[in-house]
Amino acid sequence: QVQLVESGGGLVQAGGSLRLSCAASGRFFSINRMGWYRQAPGNERELVASITRGGNTNYADPVKGRFTISRDNAKNTVSLQMNSLKPEDTAVYYCQAIYYRDFEDYDAWGQGIQVTVSS
């Protein structure tokens, strides 16, 4: 089982920045893809950004040019640098990891962390 612990959320004014971090621990052979999702009240959970073990990234259109995802494979961590934040970025942000163990892929989720952007 893999545990993901997120940190770095909070309250920020529009135009400000926040950095989210997520650390993975537990038993696995490797972590393949890591990503950040978010869910605003009344909305479905949506992908924000993801990054493969090799460093290939993917971003949702609303955050392109403002958010940057990065990871440290040696430390099993993933971060999301969020700049030029907007009120519509307000949501609970979840870290996700796709990991390989016992010849199968599994996914794990963090508990979620609140990001609130005031106008």
Side-chain angles (χ1 to χ4, degrees):
Q1 196 169 2
V2 169
Q3 294 79 40
L4 302 177
V5 178
E6 300 128 332
S7 60
L11 172 65
V12 65
Q13 289 189 332
S17 298
L18 281 175
R19 184 177 181 86
L20 304 182
S21 296
C22 173
S25 62
R27 190 175 75 86
F28 52 86
F29 179 76
S30 66
I31 297 179
N32 300 327
R33 195 186 80 162
M34 301 188 80
W36 289 95
Y37 288 71
R38 67 186 181 187
Q39 187 169 18
N43 291 355
E44 294 186 353
R45 191 173 297 187
E46 62 180 7
L47 174 69
V48 176
S50 65
I51 184 168
T52 66
R53 186 172 180 82
N56 292 320
T57 58
N58 179 47
Y59 294 93
D61 286 343
V63 308
K64 284 181 179 177
R66 300 188 297 122
F67 291 10
T68 302
I69 190 170
S70 60
R71 66 184 285 177
D72 185 327
N73 290 332
K75 297 181 179 179
N76 296 312
T77 59
V78 63
S79 297
L80 185 69
Q81 178 66 42
M82 304 184 294
N83 298 329
S84 302
L85 283 160
K86 304 176 181 180
E88 51 264 43
D89 294 317
T90 295
V92 177
Y93 283 70
Y94 296 89
C95 175
Q96 187 216 32
I98 307 292
Y99 63 97
Y100 185 71
R101 188 188 72 201
D102 298 332
F103 306 105
E104 290 190 30
D105 286 327
Y106 298 86
D107 71 339
W109 292 87
Q111 78 282 1
I113 192 164
Q114 180 69 46
V115 170
T116 303
V117 184
S118 63
S119 56

